[in-house]
Amino acid sequence: MPERVGFIGLGIMGWRMAASLARAGFELTVYNRTREKADRWVAEHGGAVASSPAELAERSDVIVTMVVDGSQVERVLLGEGGAMEGAREDQLVIDCSTIGPTAAREIAARLAERGVHFLDAPVTGSSPKAEDGTLTIMVGGAPDDFERARPVFAAMGELIVHAGPLGQGQMVKLINNAVAAANAATLAEGLVAGRATGVDLDALVEVMAAGAGGSAMLDLKAGPMRAHDYTTLFKLEHMLKDVRLCLEETQAAGTPFAGAAHAHQLLTAGMGRGLGDADFAALLEAVEGLAGKRL
Ligand code: NAP
C-alpha cells in the first residue's frame, strides 16, 4: 500500500506536484492557506481537503510542504494549528520549498525532538516540469528516509539526487539558482549590448545557442526577454530570496560569489520597480534602466 500523503501549499509548483502524486495513485489530503484553492484542487484531482496542517497530519504518513520560505515552513509545521500538533512518531516530512540549509537543519532538529523525520528536497524545473512530473529533486537527509521517500519523489521528478546529509539538498539548490540568476543577468546584459551596438538579435541568439554563449537561460529566457513577456514561471521575488540565501551561506563560508552578488543587485532593482510577482526574466528591466536602452 502506498503511504498516505499530505500536501501543504498549492501554489504554482505545489498544485502541479500534488497533481503528479494523485496521478501516481497516492491517496492525498491537501491543505492551502487560501482554502478556496484547495477546494478547487480536490474538485479537479480528488482526495480530501484538511482545514489545518494539524488535521492533515492526522490523516497522513508522509507530509510534503511546498510553501515559500523558512518562516512559512516553520509556521505550517510548528506554528499554531501546525502539522506537528497532529503528528506521530516516525512520520516523514519532505520539504520541497527553497529555504536554505540553515533553516532546514533548524526545523529538522525541532521535528526530531518529536520523533518526526525530515528531508530537505528542493526542486528545479519550474512549472512545466512540475506539470509533467519531470522535476529535478535534490535531497538532503538520512539514507533510510531518502529510500522511504523514493516513490513520492519518483511521482514528481525525473532526476532524483541524494546530495548528502540534512541541508545539502538546499545548498545544491541555492548554488544552482545563483548560477542561473547570474546567467540570466549576463544574458540580459548581452542582449542590451547587442541592441546598443546595432547587432541583429536573431543572429546573436542563433550563434550563442550554437556556441559557448549558450545556456539553459538563453534557451528559456531570451525569447520572453526580447518580447518583454514576464508571464510568471518563477517569481522574481523568489529568485531574489534564493540568491540572498546563497550569498548568506557563501559569506558565512568566507567565499566570494561575485556573479551572484551582481544578480542580487539587479533582482533588487527589479523588486524596486514593482516586479516581484513577475517572472525573474524581468531583471531585464533593471538592465535596460541602467543602460537607458530598450530591447
Ligand atoms: P507560489 O506560487 O507563490 O506559492 C506559494 C504557496 O505557499 C501557496 O500555496 C501559498 O498559499 C503558500 N503560502 C504563502 N505564504 C504562506 C503562509 N504564510 N502560510 C502558509 N502558506 C503560505 O510559489 P511557487 O512558485 O509554487 O514556489 C514555492 C517554492 O518552490 C518556493 O520556495 C520557490 O522558491 C520554490 N521553487 C519554485 C520554482 C518555480 O519555478 N516556481 C521552481 C523551483 C523551486 P496561498 O495560496 O494562500 O497564497
Side-chain angles (χ1 to χ4, degrees), residues 51-66:
S51 54
S52 68
E55 189 189 316
L56 172 140
E58 281 164 14
R59 299 195 208 153
S60 311
D61 306 309
V62 174
I63 299 166
V64 182
T65 48
M66 191 52 164

Side-chain angles (χ1 to χ4, degrees), residues 37-262:
K37 239 191 243 178
D39 290 334
R40 245 186 321 120
W41 190 93
V42 166
E44 246 178 70
H45 303 284
V49 180
S51 54
S52 68
E55 189 189 316
L56 172 140
E58 281 164 14
R59 299 195 208 153
S60 311
D61 306 309
V62 174
I63 299 166
V64 182
T65 48
M66 191 52 164
V67 290
V68 176
D69 58 22
S71 66
Q72 291 177 14
V73 175
E74 193 181 340
R75 191 168 315 158
V76 297
L77 293 177
L78 291 148
E80 204 187 318
M84 288 308 102
E85 287 182 7
R88 299 175 302 283
E89 265 198 20
D90 284 332
Q91 263 176 329
L92 173 64
V93 172
I94 303 170
D95 177 40
C96 293
S97 334
T98 306
I99 67 172
T102 302
R105 289 186 196 111
E106 280 169 11
I107 291 166
R110 290 175 65 191
L111 266 52
E113 288 166 10
R114 297 161 161 86
V116 174
H117 302 240
F118 182 89
L119 291 170
D120 55 290
V123 307
T124 186
S126 273
S127 62
K129 292 198 169 197
E131 182 94 41
D132 298 347
T134 56
L135 290 166
T136 295
I137 308 178
M138 52 229 92
V139 188
D144 286 355
D145 294 335
F146 178 72
E147 287 310 322
R148 178 176 172 189
R150 202 183 270 282
V152 173
F153 291 145
M156 302 187 296
E158 188 170 63
L159 175 63
I160 296 143
V161 178
H162 188 198
L166 275 174
Q168 296 296 56
Q170 287 291 338
M171 201 58 232
V172 168
K173 167 71 184 171
L174 294 187
I175 295 171
N176 180 65
N177 270 24
V179 169
N183 284 346
T186 306
L187 170 64
E189 288 168 335
L191 292 173
V192 171
R195 169 65 74 226
T197 54
V199 155
D200 175 346
L201 293 186
D202 287 337
L204 176 65
V205 167
E206 191 181 354
V207 168
M208 287 204 295
S215 66
M217 287 299 107
L218 177 75
D219 297 343
L220 292 171
K221 303 298 182 194
M225 282 181 184
R226 290 181 64 189
H228 296 96
D229 173 4
Y230 307 130
T231 305
T232 311
L233 298 181
F234 184 34
K235 289 177 189 164
L236 184 146
E237 183 175 18
H238 293 176
M239 183 56 108
L240 177 60
K241 157 185 69 80
D242 295 356
V243 177
R244 176 180 55 74
L245 287 169
C246 187
L247 287 169
E248 283 170 10
E249 296 293 333
T250 52
Q251 278 165 18
T255 200
F257 200 158
H262 178 58

